[in-house]
Amino acid sequence: QVQLVESGGGLVQPGESLTLSCEVSGISLNYYSIGWVRQAPGKEREGVACLSHGPSNSYYIDSVKDRFSIFRDSAKNTVYLQMNDLNEDDTAVYYCAADGGLYGSICLRDLTYDWWGQGTQVTVSS
């Protein structure tokens, strides 16, 4: 059984940082693409960052490219999303998701991931 469990969300002020964690069980991250997807109130889900398996390239949407970093710890089978200089537009529920396909930059645009976590709330407010 594949499980993804996010943690690390919370309430922060603009300009602050958070690191989200996604602990994965049932599959090895070395062979799957992992994405962080967010959904703000009243908006559609949006792929924020992803890590494609194979060459392990990372991809980001333009609005977070210089502020967020996705990386994994293979020993812990955990993926992280380091988020710096947060602003109110980053407020959303953040989900991690995994898939055996979605190679390359497709992992950012195609959100048909096989497995999803339950989500963690990130609120940026002064």
Side-chain angles (χ1 to χ4, degrees), residues 13-24:
Q13 294 187 342
E16 294 186 337
S17 299
L18 275 177
T19 300
L20 306 182
S21 301
C22 175
E23 186 174 349
V24 181

Side-chain angles (χ1 to χ4, degrees), residues 72-90:
R72 68 183 174 202
D73 184 331
S74 295
K76 296 182 178 180
N77 217 37
T78 298
V79 175
Y80 303 91
L81 185 67
Q82 172 70 43
M83 305 185 295
N84 299 322
D85 193 21
L86 286 161
N87 60 61
E88 293 181 350
D89 290 338
D90 297 316

Side-chain angles (χ1 to χ4, degrees), residues 19 32 122:
T19 300
Y32 290 82
V122 173

